Amino acid sequence: MNATVIIIFLIIVGMTLVITYFAAKRTNTTSDFYTAGGGLTGWQNGMAIAGDYLSAASFLGIAGSIALFGFDGFLFSIGYLVAYLVVLFVVAEPLRNLGKFTLADMINARFNAKKVRGAAALSSITIVIFYMIAQLVGAGALIQLLFGIDYLWAVLLVGIMMTIYVLFGGMTATSWVQIIKAVLLMVGTVILSFLVLQRFDFSILEMFAQVKTATPHGEAFLNPGVKYKIPLDTISLMLALVLGTAGLPHILMRFFTVRDAKTARSSVMWATWIVGIFYVMTIFLGFGAAAFVGSEKIISTNAAGNMAAPLLAQALGGDILMSFISAVAFATILAVVAGLVLSGASAFAHDIYGQIIKKGKATERQQMLAARYASVGVAVLSILLAIFAQSLNVAFLVSLAFCIAASANLPVIVYTIFWKKFNTTGAVSAILTGLISALVLVSISPSVMNPEAGAAILTGNPIFPLTNPAIVSIPLGFIGGLVGTLVSKESDLKRFAEVKVRANTGGFRQL
């Protein structure tokens, strides 16, 4: 630990706390708390979406995966980026026109039923907790490396920080923390990429040639198959990444922070450019770490490879650059977990408490109190789970969250917008089939079960052969919705006609 690290850390944390202080003064209503009053512009929301999306998995997990597994690690970058096309063309506009605060609001525009709202809230909370564990594991590893603080205390520190942002500043503070973090992350990544290319005389061909000999995998490093030996496993992972973004509650929630569908589309365009440029640069981070840090040092520092980017910064720019990159990584985690806490809290407080328990009759004060209590509850639960997940790679944990989002949320979103016969039974069965199948298949997969002692959570032969079950669980989610709808005879074609107009035009505000 040195003074530079502490100073840079304190500056970034201080900036975020100042933002929270000013945002707290403007957070008076539930609309302010959940959606910043719908007052963000296209570029602001685009930057905030990028800040929300470029998580610890993106910065720490992918850099480590590319450094250790080459092309197979880069699959995460490809999947995360292509996912935004699904968001842009299928989800962004209808979601903004139909929803208010949460995904359940959007589905409820068509099915005014408590059971649908409850199922959607359960799915959102499950995804948020999986995603949150990944961020906290990354934060714990990072602070442990920098300060030598025990992992448990590191996770607790991050947990307290993120709770402060959400508790006092709501969506306004969270959005501005995400915007600043997106700028810092891009600056840090550009600096690292420049230094890596400088070492290779700015020749990408030279970089590829050198990387072939820099790792134990040799030429295989640049080809698929180093990590994912089963082609079906690779396809399954990509399906989870590409389709999962369109079902992530903390990303979907960001479309309610703008005033109309046109601004929602504009924000997705901004986000896609920022995210795209970042993911191209992950190649330089990963290859640089493989060539100038080495797989042995990466693994010895953190078995899952999560510290490859900070170690690369130390190798190329010394302690000052490492301090800056680590502080940026920390800001990355804080920004993302704040967004996650907010979306988890909205599912609890707005959907379960406000709409199901209080039947939509809660006062403004009751809703705000419920939102803040729920924020603390989500944070505490995530911290407790993260303490037991220290050895897992953060990119893997996030891919599981994407799998659940694609299996449980995407089918019901697509059916709600596009299928006129879809009904409440179909909506509940789509969510529960996708959610349960994804969780069960993950629990019996190689990600959780491994014959080698200590290689996974459980020791034993996996029952399901694929590390990511998306190729099975996503179709099951769609089939669940189809069967549930056909078994139940109910339908409301008039309601669908109204929802279709409203989804495309923003009209019929009061159904």
Side-chain angles (χ1 to χ4, degrees):
M1 176 162 49
N2 62 49
T4 316
V5 178
I6 296 169
I7 290 165
I8 294 176
F9 249 74
L10 289 176
I11 288 170
I12 287 181
V13 169
M15 275 167 57
T16 55
L17 288 172
V18 168
I19 291 165
T20 306
Y21 172 75
F22 285 109
K25 292 182 174 181
R26 296 170 55 186
T27 305
N28 302 312
T29 65
T30 45
S31 175
D32 293 334
F33 189 82
Y34 291 132
T35 64
L40 295 184
T41 63
W43 74 265
Q44 287 170 346
N45 198 42
M47 295 276 280
I49 290 172
D52 210 350
Y53 195 63
L54 299 174
S55 62
S58 299
F59 191 47
L60 301 176
I62 293 178
S65 285
I66 295 174
L68 297 178
F69 305 111
F71 183 85
D72 280 5
F74 187 58
L75 287 172
F76 284 100
S77 292
I78 299 166
Y80 288 147
L81 175 58
V82 174
Y84 264 93
L85 295 177
V86 180
V87 175
L88 179 62
F89 293 121
V90 179
V91 172
E93 191 171 343
L95 192 77
R96 174 63 193 83
N97 286 332
L98 292 173
K100 184 183 179 186
F101 293 149
T102 64
L103 169 66
D105 282 336
M106 176 257 185
I107 299 164
N108 213 55
R110 184 165 172 190
F111 312 113
N112 193 11
K114 286 183 183 178
K115 58 186 178 182
V116 178
R117 190 179 280 278
L122 176 67
S123 166
S124 293
I125 291 161
T126 308
I127 294 161
V128 162
I129 286 170
F130 259 103
Y131 214 106
M132 186 92 93
I133 294 167
Q135 308 308 315
L136 292 175
V137 168
L142 184 71
I143 292 175
Q144 199 178 12
L145 171 73
L146 284 173
F147 298 127
I149 299 173
D150 185 65
Y151 175 80
L152 169 67
W153 292 108
V155 169
L156 285 172
L157 174 69
V158 179
I160 291 164
M161 288 290 301
M162 72 189 182
T163 312
I164 289 169
Y165 294 151
V166 177
L167 215 52
F168 298 107
M171 182 57 94
T172 307
T174 300
S175 297
W176 282 101
V177 168
Q178 287 165 345
I179 290 166
I180 287 171
K181 163 256 159 127
V183 172
L184 288 172
L185 185 63
M186 291 302 285
V187 168
T189 311
V190 166
I191 291 168
L192 269 182
S193 300
F194 177 82
L195 292 173
V196 168
L197 282 171
Q198 190 180 40
R199 291 288 186 99
F200 293 118
D201 298 325
F202 296 100
S203 168
I204 290 173
L205 292 176
E206 180 64 26
M207 178 177 73
F208 277 88
Q210 283 193 38
V211 166
K212 282 182 191 176
T213 58
T215 74
H217 303 297
E219 290 206 13
F221 186 76
L222 298 178
N223 299 320
V226 172
K227 184 178 184 184
Y228 299 104
K229 311 283 184 193
I230 310 166
L232 207 59
D233 212 358
T234 311
I235 294 167
S236 191
L237 171 70
M238 295 305 285
L239 273 173
L241 301 182
V242 169
L243 299 177
T245 302
L248 289 175
H250 64 294
I251 298 296
L252 298 180
M253 195 178 181
R254 293 231 57 94
F255 296 117
F256 305 128
T257 62
V258 293
R259 67 180 182 273
D260 53 29
K262 183 184 176 186
T263 318
R265 278 199 310 274
S266 164
S267 58
V268 178
M269 299 291 280
W270 273 94
T272 307
W273 275 106
I274 297 163
V275 167
I277 293 164
F278 173 82
Y279 282 131
V280 168
M281 291 191 291
T282 56
I283 301 174
F284 307 130
L285 301 188
F287 281 8
F292 307 123
V293 179
S295 54
E296 278 184 30
K297 188 173 179 184
I298 293 168
I299 293 167
S300 67
T301 305
N302 180 276
N306 294 328
M307 291 298 103
L311 289 171
L312 173 64
Q314 188 176 38
L316 299 180
D319 281 349
I320 291 176
L321 185 59
M322 186 198 182
S323 305
F324 176 70
I325 293 298
S326 300
V328 167
F330 186 64
T332 293
I333 291 162
L334 287 176
V336 175
V337 289
L340 287 165
V341 170
L342 205 51
S343 58
S346 66
F348 268 121
H350 176 67
D351 294 329
I352 296 174
Y353 173 78
Q355 299 297 320
I356 296 174
I357 297 171
K358 285 286 190 177
K359 300 177 183 173
K361 293 174 183 171
T363 65
E364 193 75 37
R365 186 173 178 277
Q366 285 175 323
Q367 288 183 64
M368 285 294 288
L369 272 175
R372 289 186 162 130
Y373 285 139
S375 300
V376 175
V378 171
V380 169
L381 181 60
S382 301
I383 289 165
L384 291 174
L385 290 171
I387 289 165
F388 298 103
Q390 184 177 359
S391 61
L392 298 175
N393 181 288
V394 290
F396 152 72
L397 283 167
V398 167
S399 70
L400 293 187
F402 274 71
C403 177
I404 296 167
S407 307
N409 288 355
L410 185 65
V412 79
I413 291 170
V414 170
Y415 281 149
T416 297
I417 298 167
F418 298 108
W419 189 22
K420 65 182 178 183
K421 291 184 180 178
F422 194 46
N423 56 33
T424 52
T425 307
V428 173
S429 58
I431 293 169
L432 294 182
T433 306
L435 177 63
I436 293 165
S437 62
L439 288 173
V440 169
L441 291 173
V442 163
S443 67
I444 57 172
S445 74
S447 304
V448 174
M449 304 175 76
N450 196 300
E452 276 183 59
I457 297 168
L458 301 174
T459 304
N461 290 315
I463 300 163
F464 183 72
L466 306 179
T467 54
N468 195 303
I471 201 166
V472 176
S473 60
I474 294 173
L476 282 176
F478 279 98
I479 292 165
L482 178 70
V483 171
T485 300
L486 296 178
V487 166
S488 167
K489 300 295 182 189
E490 61 175 302
S491 68
D492 189 343
L493 298 182
K494 182 173 179 284
R495 186 91 169 178
F496 172 72
E498 290 176 344
V499 164
K500 191 176 180 184
V501 170
R502 186 173 154 196
N504 288 296
T505 66
F508 288 106
R509 281 283 164 205
Q510 302 298 321
L511 286 183

